[in-house]
Amino acid sequence: MNILVTGGAGFIGSHTVERLLSTGAGKVTILDSFNDYYNPAIKRANVAAMGDRITVAEGELTDRAFIDALFDAGKFDAVIHLAARAGVRPSIAQPELYIDTNIKGTFNLLEASRRTGCRHFVFASSSSVYGVNEKVPFAEEDPILQTISPYAMTKMAGEQMCSNYSHLYDIKTVSLRFFTVYGPRQRPDLAISKFTRLIEDGKPIDKYGDGSTARDYTFCHDIVDGIIGALNYKTGPICDIFNLGGSQTVTLNELIATIEASVGKQAIINHLPDQPGDVPLTSADVSKANRLLNFKPTTTIAQGVPKYVEWFRQMREQGVTVC
């Protein structure tokens, strides 16, 4: 199989590419912009570790001519679309950037897939599409009545574009709603990254609200299991949606305590009010993914956080700035 992985140099993407290579899944091409949203040296180190087993295309999702040329040359059998502008809070400050990258970029990929005959498209969506969902745990059949951030809106739009292209052009699309992915190589703007760095350095961490907000944290290796399951998912509806979560909802207070234990230092806490756009709770019903993708998350937050802390310290020892 000839596979394109967008965002393949980044956090989830690099772990996905490594799994594809280790299982002999076929030829792998990485598309990444290597932008400065965080230190590009981290992404370049991720790619360098893969050696000559991959092809790397550096460019923007929004560059239609670049995407078309890439697909014409690549003749891809499948796309795993992980690249995006990520993060709820930055999307509120820069909604147009998120609309351009996440909506127009996804359209460009789907259109190139249609034009070149690529018939399998895996799309990284987000649990943020559920918004303030009062039913817990969140299930794929729950109605999506109100997203509360531009980021969530762009992911909902991506899911709907996948539905269009499945219906109109017979492309198998699988949208995966990720629930707070963490682990080695994760983005520095995520809570576990920021808290680890600041606690390690003896600096205050910002805690929004009373610490009762909760997230369903999912370790990166478990998420990759679900992505590979979606890549191999050939049955069922031509357009399908799955939750990928860790099935372990953890409060902000519990998360901070876990990081403190892993770092071996007490946090200095700066108490702040709740943030606009943040949902109070995410909790995944993964029974559908378990049944159809053989998705079985196994890594607890107590096991996963120390693995991130270990990677963070290794990067610092190598002189790579993780911020």
Side-chain angles (χ1 to χ4, degrees):
M1 186 181 292
N2 190 3
I3 306 165
L4 174 68
V5 181
T6 74
F11 168 38
I12 300 173
S14 63
H15 287 291
T16 301
V17 171
E18 286 180 347
R19 180 75 65 83
L20 291 170
L21 295 174
S22 70
T23 57
K27 181 182 177 182
V28 179
T29 299
I30 287 175
L31 164 58
D32 209 293
S33 68
F34 295 92
N35 62 53
D36 61 359
Y37 184 71
Y38 62 90
N39 185 358
I42 297 174
K43 288 186 175 183
R44 297 200 182 276
N46 293 342
V47 170
M50 300 173 195
D52 59 0
R53 296 177 294 165
I54 55 168
T55 301
V56 179
E58 185 168 348
E60 298 289 343
L61 294 174
T62 52
D63 185 340
R64 177 69 179 274
F66 166 75
I67 295 297
D68 284 347
L70 176 64
F71 273 73
D72 285 339
K75 308 297 182 186
F76 304 114
D77 301 306
V79 174
I80 301 176
H81 179 29
L82 304 175
R85 279 287 173 169
V88 167
R89 295 168 193 166
S91 77
I92 296 172
Q94 296 179 290
E96 188 172 359
L97 174 62
Y98 279 68
I99 290 168
D100 283 347
T101 304
N102 296 358
I103 296 180
K104 183 179 178 182
T106 300
F107 166 76
N108 286 343
L109 293 169
L110 282 165
E111 183 63 10
S113 296
R114 176 199 66 78
R115 187 177 56 79
T116 59
C118 177
R119 287 292 176 261
H120 199 89
F121 195 97
V122 178
F123 172 64
S125 186
S126 166
S127 63
S128 65
V129 301
Y130 287 107
V132 184
N133 190 2
E134 296 182 356
K135 174 184 166 293
V136 177
F138 304 165
E140 293 87 350
E141 64 269 18
D142 292 348
I144 306 297
L145 301 176
Q146 183 182 24
T147 59
I148 60 172
S149 71
Y151 172 67
M153 175 271 291
T154 65
K155 287 300 185 181
M156 192 75 257
E159 291 187 10
Q160 290 299 311
M161 278 192 284
C162 286
S163 175
N164 285 188
Y165 274 76
S166 288
H167 176 72
L168 295 172
Y169 305 117
D170 200 35
I171 298 174
K172 175 77 171 181
T173 65
V174 186
S175 295
L176 303 175
R177 293 174 177 169
F178 294 166
F179 282 69
T180 315
V181 190
Y182 74 101
R185 307 175 196 165
Q186 74 177 58
R187 300 194 329 262
D189 61 304
L190 298 176
I192 292 174
S193 300
K194 290 190 294 186
F195 290 172
T196 296
R197 182 173 68 253
L198 294 169
I199 293 171
E200 178 88 325
D201 294 342
K203 296 178 180 179
I205 66 171
D206 290 339
K207 185 173 87 168
Y208 294 95
D210 63 3
S212 63
T213 56
R215 298 286 179 270
D216 190 341
Y217 289 95
T218 318
F219 193 64
C220 53
H221 294 167
D222 290 331
I223 280 287
V224 173
D225 289 344
I227 293 170
I228 300 303
L231 180 66
N232 295 326
Y233 181 53
K234 309 298 184 184
T235 59
I238 193 166
C239 173
D240 218 338
I241 297 171
F242 294 91
N243 287 337
L244 296 185
S247 298
Q248 46 176 332
T249 300
V250 179
T251 68
L252 179 57
N253 287 332
E254 291 168 338
L255 176 66
I256 292 170
T258 302
I259 297 171
E260 288 174 326
S262 299
V263 173
K265 296 181 181 179
Q266 195 77 18
I268 303 167
I269 296 177
N270 180 29
H271 295 273
L272 295 170
D274 290 326
Q275 277 280 96
D278 279 356
V279 298
L281 170 71
T282 64
S283 178
D285 178 347
V286 297
S287 57
K288 180 181 176 183
N290 175 270
R291 185 174 70 254
L292 298 176
L293 305 183
N294 197 32
F295 177 68
K296 299 173 183 177
T298 59
T299 308
T300 67
I301 196 76
Q303 295 169 326
V305 166
K307 294 180 181 179
Y308 172 76
V309 172
E310 179 184 9
W311 173 84
F312 169 81
R313 287 174 169 166
Q314 287 174 348
M315 294 300 285
R316 278 201 162 179
E317 289 173 1
Q318 295 169 18
V320 179
T321 303
V322 185
C323 64

